[in-house]
Amino acid sequence: QVQLQESGPGLVKPSQTLSLTCTVSGGSISSGDYYWSWIRQPPGKGLEWIGYIYYSGSTYYNPSLKSRVTISVDTSKNQFSLKLSSVTAADTAVYYCASMVTEAPFDYWGQGTLVTVSS
Amino acid sequence: EIVLTQSPGTLSLSPGERATLSCRASQSVSSSYLAWYQQKPGQAPRLLIYGASSRATGIPDRFSGSGSGTDFTLTISRLEPEDFAVYYCQQYGSSFTFGGGTKVEIK
């Protein structure tokens, strides 16, 4: 069974870049079985999909965030990463990494990590 | 973008009662690519239903999904204490969007 674990700074200053990594265990990113996503949830609010990456490096982003988002993959470490630039307080959220197969919902999720944007 | 509207916002029920949650899409969800998740405080969402009506692995049969096009329903036939949580619908037919959630609370 696939397991995912987010890691990264819990506090980011406004205008800086948020960087998170998701480490995958129980399966290989290189297998090509899954697409690897980032999803976020502001405190007390709903869920927002950020984007996904395939092991080949192909990506697909939420149009509302596309200008600020970069998702990358490191198959040698079985990790994928999120960078969100020019952050504001509105980017404060729990960030989840998750997996999905083609034409399917998100089946495996990390536990989530809270990132607060504050000076 | 397909907007999903969930209703009601909060459902107050007692254990043993039936819960009916609604999810309406702003346009037709292709191939019934509609999922339901359960989220408890401090936890990640858990997939319950995919393809509008198929239960995910390990999900009890008191959870059922139905609907097509723009109108979908999640039904919990008899609420157990562990079912009190927030439920989200999500479409994955055209990019990915989530509904705003329905909180099922103990009456």
Side-chain angles (χ1 to χ4, degrees):
Chain A
Q1 176 169 322
V2 173
Q3 294 183 308
L4 302 100
Q5 178 67 58
E6 306 88 350
S7 59
L11 181 63
V12 180
K13 288 182 168 50
S15 79
Q16 294 190 343
T17 296
L18 177 159
S19 296
L20 295 174
T21 295
C22 182
T23 301
V24 179
S25 57
S28 172
I29 283 183
S30 299
S31 70
D33 293 336
Y34 289 97
Y35 291 77
W36 307 97
S37 273
W38 287 99
I39 296 160
R40 70 180 183 178
Q41 184 173 35
K45 297 188 178 180
L47 298 154
E48 179 180 37
W49 172 74
I50 299 170
Y52 72 60
I53 192 165
Y54 193 49
Y55 82 100
S56 61
S58 63
T59 55
Y60 180 37
Y61 300 139
N62 185 327
S64 68
L65 296 168
K66 186 176 181 178
S67 64
R68 299 194 292 132
V69 172
T70 302
I71 298 177
S72 59
V73 65
D74 186 338
T75 54
S76 67
K77 295 182 179 179
N78 224 31
Q79 296 176 333
F80 63 104
S81 298
L82 168 70
K83 291 188 185 299
L84 181 66
S85 64
S86 305
V87 297
T88 70
D91 295 310
T92 293
V94 175
Y95 285 76
Y96 295 100
C97 54
S99 64
M100 63 178 210
V101 297
T102 304
E103 298 179 342
F106 306 106
D107 48 3
Y108 296 108
W109 295 65
Q111 66 184 26
T113 187
L114 174 63
V115 179
T116 301
V117 178
S118 175
S119 56
Chain B
E1 173 182 300
I2 297 179
V3 176
L4 300 178
T5 302
Q6 292 188 241
S7 62
T10 301
L11 202 50
S12 298
L13 295 168
S14 300
E17 290 193 294
R18 182 184 187 90
T20 303
L21 288 67
S22 174
C23 176
R24 178 161 291 177
S26 60
Q27 54 189 281
S28 183
V29 176
S30 61
S31 304
S32 292
Y33 286 160
L34 193 287
W36 291 92
Y37 299 85
Q38 176 193 68
Q39 188 178 35
K40 297 180 180 178
Q43 297 184 16
R46 176 175 71 143
L47 178 64
L48 299 175
I49 301 287
Y50 64 94
S53 60
S54 297
R55 275 187 298 277
T57 302
I59 302 304
D61 60 8
R62 64 179 181 273
F63 291 92
S64 63
S66 63
S68 64
T70 61
D71 289 297
F72 299 87
T73 300
L74 174 70
T75 302
I76 311 171
S77 58
R78 289 178 55 86
L79 283 164
E80 297 288 340
E82 63 267 29
D83 298 337
F84 292 91
V86 179
Y87 293 83
Y88 293 96
C89 59
Q90 179 232 335
Q91 68 81 22
Y92 49 98
S94 174
S95 190
F96 307 89
T97 52
F98 292 88
T102 290
K103 182 179 182 180
V104 179
E105 66 175 22
I106 299 176
K107 186 174 182 180

